[in-house]
Amino acid sequence: MKKLTKLKTKANLQESRLRENFELLDQIRADAVNDIESLTQDFQHMTLVAESVQRNYRALLAENQLLKGTLLSIIDECGCWQGNRCDRCWKLLKILACDNSEEKPDAASKYRAILNQLRNLE
């Protein structure tokens, strides 16, 4: 009888270990599903942010185009002519051409600075 009892105990230990493993696997799977759902929500949020940035950038480009058109119409309506522009029109043309001799725009460094600021917010 002792042998039967020992065998039964070993079987119960093995069964309890298997059940524990099943429970652990179920918890891991549930955690994985929760992680995937959280990741999906994060991607949805990032998509909304990207769409918002895209809308804002399009609006900015439209405003810039409108401003450029306005400045060009001011130049066209001026009394000066193409070969002999007045000081005001030359300044406007330089602004439109981004030809500021004092300050050359460095788009790459400005872009890097903006990215660094965004990364620091995280």
Side-chain angles (χ1 to χ4, degrees):
M1 270 195 100
K2 287 184 180 180
K3 288 183 182 179
L4 287 176
T5 306
K6 287 182 184 177
L7 288 176
K8 190 175 182 184
T9 306
K10 286 183 182 177
N12 285 339
L13 285 176
Q14 287 177 346
E15 182 180 336
S16 65
R17 285 183 187 158
L18 284 174
R19 288 184 185 272
E20 287 175 10
N21 285 343
F22 290 149
E23 290 174 12
L24 184 59
L25 287 173
D26 287 341
Q27 289 175 356
I28 291 171
R29 289 179 180 132
D31 287 344
V33 168
N34 289 334
D35 290 344
I36 292 170
E37 288 173 355
S38 177
L39 189 60
T40 301
Q41 291 172 355
D42 290 345
F43 281 138
Q44 288 171 344
H45 177 71
M46 289 185 337
T47 301
L48 291 175
V49 169
E51 289 171 352
S52 174
V53 168
Q54 186 179 27
R55 277 192 308 273
N56 291 341
Y57 188 67
R58 283 186 179 150
L60 178 66
L61 289 177
E63 288 291 322
N64 284 347
Q65 192 64 31
L66 180 64
L67 179 61
K68 181 181 175 182
T70 303
L71 291 176
L72 285 174
S73 69
I74 289 171
I75 293 170
D76 291 340
E77 292 173 4
C78 184
C80 63
W81 55 89
Q82 191 171 0
N84 189 17
R85 293 287 180 196
C86 65
D87 289 340
R88 185 184 70 162
C89 289
W90 271 116
K91 286 179 186 177
L92 291 176
L93 285 170
K94 283 183 179 183
I95 289 170
L96 288 172
C98 292
D99 187 23
N100 297 337
S101 57
E102 306 98 31
E103 180 184 336
K104 290 284 185 185
D106 186 11
S109 66
K110 288 181 181 179
Y111 179 73
R112 252 185 258 116
I114 291 170
L115 282 179
N116 287 334
Q117 287 175 352
L118 290 174
R119 287 180 182 139
N120 290 336
L121 291 176
E122 294 176 355

